[in-house]
């Protein structure tokens, strides 16, 4: 059932309604003309495939055809006929064309040629009209849908956690302030500090870095929940893996221990990748080709061994490696790049934080598989992670993916009130501010666990794009909030 009279190109391609009169609407990708006929490649975003419209200059006026230039939006009524040319089984014989929106060829920035991804970032408002970005955003949609389907099918409830918060869930302090106070001249207390009592929320507030703490509250009532929302980090990381605004999926489950959490995470990641393989075949084929072309520009020894689709299938079909931080440190300390001082950060002793070069060594060189790293030193992890018996480590897990590094971070949570408050004191986290969080340890506490998947990092992995700025429509990064 359509709600307007045009049909989508995807439906026409699927059904090939030969002989029927239909209306198509979309944007002109290219037009080729000779004396007798014009061929218009039309795209409406419903699929990567353009649909061929054939316009006879005896039927369609010359001035109309002239306006059907790259980027113009047009409406065509015509008859679906069998295609004589190769490739497509049908095409549209135009009876009337209406130009809905012209695109001056002198000014329209997208031309039917290869533009660099850097250039396209500068015209992010138009880049979705390219094959690459059309494919990326259709795959992104499919992955988001798969996330909801996975959890819904398993009885998890979708919780909307607040975007404005007064707490710092990760204790990392990399937050954007939210205030209505005049920045040049804020009200001050007697000792000269900014007087947040006079601010909108009558206290300091920030954009959230994670929905986890509130997610835990919900899990303590609904058992199995997930969040899927925007999160914000004011870290000044200008890398191909970091955004200041990104989307995170955070399931939180009562009665799960660390291993249950790992099992869920592995199953979930495989499911959404498999969903994309099954539902985005055409787009993934195109993206695989694009990624291959990019690979071919690299020196032979730096090229990926697997193509995009093989890589995705490999992840779905193989068990992830599970190993402890302590085992990983041994591998890294004895690795060639460490011995030959090729790592930027050399691994000298237990306790070192892992950098992405180490994560990628483990995944890409040593195991050649996704890795679930567990039981990190407590000093490099957040306060809420459950403390292990050894007194040194916590029940953390990071999942590391080839080409990406960390894609998931999670843990079993510390449900024991005394251990939790002791850790908060050690880390200078004020108990008064998290009284509500501590209440879940006072009333009906239970072992529980959860994790966070960085959605854009997953989209990056599945699409084979190489910069996180190219998998979110309008990226926010240091120095960039255009569009
Ligand atoms: O490891 P993180 O910081 O974990 C948390 O926020 C926990 N509260 C999650 C939980 O246990 N519920 O972030 C989780 C994931 C990372 O593994 C990474 O994939 C992604 O979020 N991420 C980012 N993605 C893009 N840009 C950034 N600046 C990111 N920071 C983290
Ligand atoms: Mg992390």
């Amino acid at each position: 059932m359509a709600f307007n009279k045009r049909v989508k190109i995807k439906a026409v391609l699927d059904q090939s309604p030969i002989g029927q009169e239909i209306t198509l609407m979309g944007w002109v990708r290219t037009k080729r003309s000779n004396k007798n006929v014009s061929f218009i490649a039309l795209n409406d975003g419903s699929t990567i495939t353009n649909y061929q419209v054939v316009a006879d200059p005896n039927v369609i006026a010359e001035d109309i055809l002239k306006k059907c230039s790259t980027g113009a939006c047009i409406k065509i009524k015509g008859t679906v006929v069998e295609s004589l040319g190769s490739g497509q089984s049908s095409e549209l014989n135009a009876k009337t064309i209406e130009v809905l929106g012209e695109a001056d060829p002198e000014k329209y920035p997208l031309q039917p040629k290869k533009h660099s991804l850097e250039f396209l970032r500068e015209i992010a408002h138009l880049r979705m009209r390219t094959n690459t970005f059309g494919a990326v955003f259709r795959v992104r949609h499919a992955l988001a849908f798969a996330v909801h389907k996975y959890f819904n099918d398993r009885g998890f409830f979708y919780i909307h956690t607040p975007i404005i918060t007064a707490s710092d869930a990760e204790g990392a302090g990399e937050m954007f302030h939210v205030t209505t106070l005049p920045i040049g001249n804020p009200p001050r207390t007697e000792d000269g500090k900014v007087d947040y009592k006079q601010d909108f929320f009558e206290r300091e507030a920030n954009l959230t870095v994670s929905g986890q703490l509130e997610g835990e509250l919900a899990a303590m009532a609904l058992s199995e929940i997930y969040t899927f929302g925007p999160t914000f980090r004011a870290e000044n990381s200008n890398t191909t893996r970091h955004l200041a605004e990104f989307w995170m999926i955070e399931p939180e489950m009562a009665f799960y221990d660390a291993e249950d959490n790992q099992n869920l995470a592995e199953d979930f990641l495989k499911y959404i990748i498999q969903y994309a393989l099954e539902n985005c075949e055409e787009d993934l084929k195109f993206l695989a080709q694009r990624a291959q072309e990019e690979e071919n520009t690299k020196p032979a020894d730096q090229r990926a061994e697997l193509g995009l689709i093989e890589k995705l299938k490999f992840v779905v079909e193989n068990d992830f490696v599970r190993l402890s931080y302590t085992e990983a440190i041994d591998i890294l300390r004895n690795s060639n790049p460490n011995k030959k001082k090729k790592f930027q950060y050399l691994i000298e002793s237990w306790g070192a934080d892992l950098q992405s070069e180490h994560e990628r060594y483990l995944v890409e060189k040593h195991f050649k598989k996704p890795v679930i790293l567990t039981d990190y030193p407590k000093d490099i992890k957040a306060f809420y992670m459950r403390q292990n018996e050894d007194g040194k480590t916590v029940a953390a897990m990071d999942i590391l993916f080839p080409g990406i590094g960390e894609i998931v971070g999670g843990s079993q949570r510390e449900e024991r009130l005394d251990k939790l408050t002791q850790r908060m004191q050690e880390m200078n986290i004020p108990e008064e501010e998290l009284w509500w969080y501590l209440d879940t340890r006072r009333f009906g506490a239970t072992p529980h666990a959860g994790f966070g998947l960085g959605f854009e990092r997953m989209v990056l992995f599945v699409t084979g794009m190489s910069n996180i700025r190219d998998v979110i429509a309008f990226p926010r990064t240091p120095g960039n909030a255009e569009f």
Side-chain angles (χ1 to χ4, degrees):
M1 177 68 199
F3 297 101
N4 68 2
K5 296 222 171 70
R6 66 115 185 185
V7 275
K8 289 191 187 182
I9 290 173
K10 184 167 191 306
V12 178
L13 288 169
D14 287 349
Q15 293 157 23
S16 265
I18 304 288
Q20 279 189 39
E21 182 152 310
I22 61 166
T23 301
L24 291 181
M25 295 186 185
W27 293 268
V28 176
R29 284 293 175 83
T30 57
K31 185 185 62 184
R32 292 182 289 126
S33 302
N34 60 35
K35 274 202 304 284
N36 306 320
V37 67
S38 286
F39 297 102
I40 296 169
L42 190 78
N43 191 285
D44 67 2
S46 60
T47 157
I48 194 163
T49 312
N50 297 330
Y51 198 70
Q52 176 152 288
V53 176
V54 184
D56 179 341
N58 297 317
V59 179
I60 308 293
E62 196 190 325
D63 63 319
I64 297 275
L65 272 178
K66 197 157 174 258
K67 288 179 186 162
C68 295
S69 57
T70 298
C73 188
I74 61 175
K75 170 179 177 178
I76 312 113
K77 274 192 189 148
T79 312
V80 179
V81 296
E82 248 165 81
S83 183
L84 302 176
S86 60
Q88 231 155 266
S89 64
S90 70
E91 60 192 25
L92 192 68
N93 231 328
K95 284 193 176 147
T96 62
I97 295 183
E98 190 183 327
V99 179
L100 302 174
E102 294 177 47
D104 184 345
E106 300 289 310
K107 295 188 182 137
Y108 185 58
L110 279 177
Q111 291 305 317
K113 64 157 195 165
K114 256 203 153 56
H115 293 293
S116 75
L117 294 172
E118 289 78 12
F119 170 73
L120 291 172
R121 251 169 250 151
E122 288 167 21
I123 52 164
H125 59 305
L126 297 172
R127 68 179 176 169
M128 283 187 242
R129 297 185 188 186
T130 64
N131 283 337
T132 299
F133 287 92
V136 165
F137 290 108
R138 280 185 296 269
V139 172
R140 185 179 164 115
H141 160 79
L143 288 168
F145 183 79
V147 166
H148 288 298
K149 181 163 168 51
Y150 180 85
F151 288 120
N152 181 65
D153 288 354
R154 286 156 186 76
F156 284 60
F157 300 107
Y158 179 27
I159 297 292
H160 299 89
T161 49
I163 290 169
I164 300 174
T165 150
S167 59
D168 175 3
E170 292 304 296
E174 290 153 337
M175 294 180 298
F176 291 100
H177 281 280
V178 176
T179 178
T180 53
L181 293 179
I183 41 171
N185 184 25
R188 299 203 179 262
T189 57
E190 275 173 16
D191 53 0
K193 293 193 180 130
V194 173
D195 186 6
Y196 285 104
K197 282 253 171 321
Q198 297 189 47
D199 202 351
F200 188 91
F201 297 108
E202 299 179 11
R203 63 191 300 173
E204 262 188 273
N206 310 296
L207 294 180
T208 187
V209 296
S210 156
Q212 178 196 321
L213 301 190
E214 291 88 352
E216 283 187 51
L217 312 181
M220 292 297 106
L222 301 164
S223 297
E224 294 181 334
I225 65 95
Y226 70 106
T227 72
F228 187 173
T231 47
F232 307 86
R233 308 245 169 135
E235 54 190 335
N236 199 358
S237 301
N238 240 318
T239 79
T240 55
R241 307 277 175 272
H242 288 89
L243 291 164
E245 175 180 294
F246 63 100
W247 289 67
M248 193 166 17
I249 296 124
E250 296 184 276
E252 192 69 37
M253 297 74 61
F255 320 122
Y256 274 47
D257 65 14
E259 197 184 335
D260 301 331
N261 200 30
Q262 291 161 30
N263 293 342
L264 176 75
E266 181 168 343
D267 187 60
F268 165 62
L269 297 179
K270 287 177 172 173
Y271 175 93
I272 60 176
I273 295 169
Q274 178 65 28
Y275 186 91
L277 280 167
E278 283 168 18
N279 291 277
C280 307
E281 211 182 327
E282 216 181 9
D283 286 323
L284 288 179
K285 265 191 199 148
F286 174 85
L287 290 167
Q289 178 68 33
R290 193 213 67 84
Q292 192 58 53
E293 284 164 21
E294 196 176 286
E295 283 300 307
N296 292 345
T297 66
K298 296 181 186 166
D301 62 327
Q302 286 171 29
R303 286 181 207 158
E305 283 168 34
L306 299 179
L308 177 63
I309 291 173
E310 294 83 64
K311 178 188 82 173
L312 299 179
K313 287 189 176 152
F314 181 85
V315 169
V316 170
E317 284 161 11
N318 288 280
D319 288 343
F320 295 3
V321 174
R322 299 186 186 191
L323 96 159
S324 70
Y325 166 91
T326 304
E327 292 166 292
I329 285 288
D330 279 341
I331 294 169
L332 289 168
R333 212 178 338 186
N334 296 316
S335 69
N336 265 331
N338 203 53
K339 285 187 187 151
K340 294 188 176 152
K341 304 204 184 319
K342 290 259 170 65
F343 283 144
Q344 201 187 335
Y345 297 88
L346 295 177
I347 297 286
E348 268 146 20
S349 56
W350 193 92
D353 203 354
L354 300 186
Q355 306 295 327
S356 91
E357 57 180 345
H358 309 126
E359 295 171 344
R360 295 183 61 170
Y361 174 83
L362 289 171
V363 174
E364 289 160 29
K365 296 280 186 307
H366 191 83
F367 290 111
K368 298 183 192 281
K369 273 183 178 188
V371 172
I372 307 184
L373 264 191
T374 61
D375 304 298
Y376 283 71
K378 64 178 181 193
D379 290 334
I380 58 173
K381 288 293 181 188
F383 73 94
Y384 51 70
M385 296 192 180
R386 194 173 198 279
Q387 295 160 51
N388 290 330
E389 295 304 314
D390 61 14
K392 295 191 304 189
T393 60
V394 287
M397 76 158 171
D398 275 9
I399 303 186
L400 316 178
F401 260 36
I404 304 287
E406 179 191 336
I407 196 162
V408 161
S411 74
Q412 187 173 338
R413 316 307 188 191
E414 184 55 82
E415 83 283 10
R416 298 162 296 187
L417 183 63
D418 53 337
K419 299 245 179 211
L420 182 59
T421 51
Q422 173 214 331
R423 191 74 194 125
M424 286 169 69
Q425 278 157 22
E426 285 165 13
M427 295 176 77
N428 288 322
I429 295 168
E431 278 176 45
E432 327 68 89
E433 274 176 28
L434 290 179
W435 61 272
W436 42 271
Y437 185 70
L438 294 171
D439 259 5
T440 54
R441 276 63 175 171
R442 291 191 182 102
F443 309 122
T446 175
H448 63 289
F451 62 85
L453 167 66
F455 186 56
E456 283 75 18
R457 290 196 187 172
M458 180 49 100
V459 182
L460 202 54
F461 182 73
V462 173
T463 58
M465 299 297 284
S466 45
N467 192 317
I468 201 162
R469 293 167 179 80
D470 296 332
V471 298
I472 185 163
F474 303 108
R476 271 76 180 100
T477 51
N480 179 32
E482 190 71 36
F483 309 108

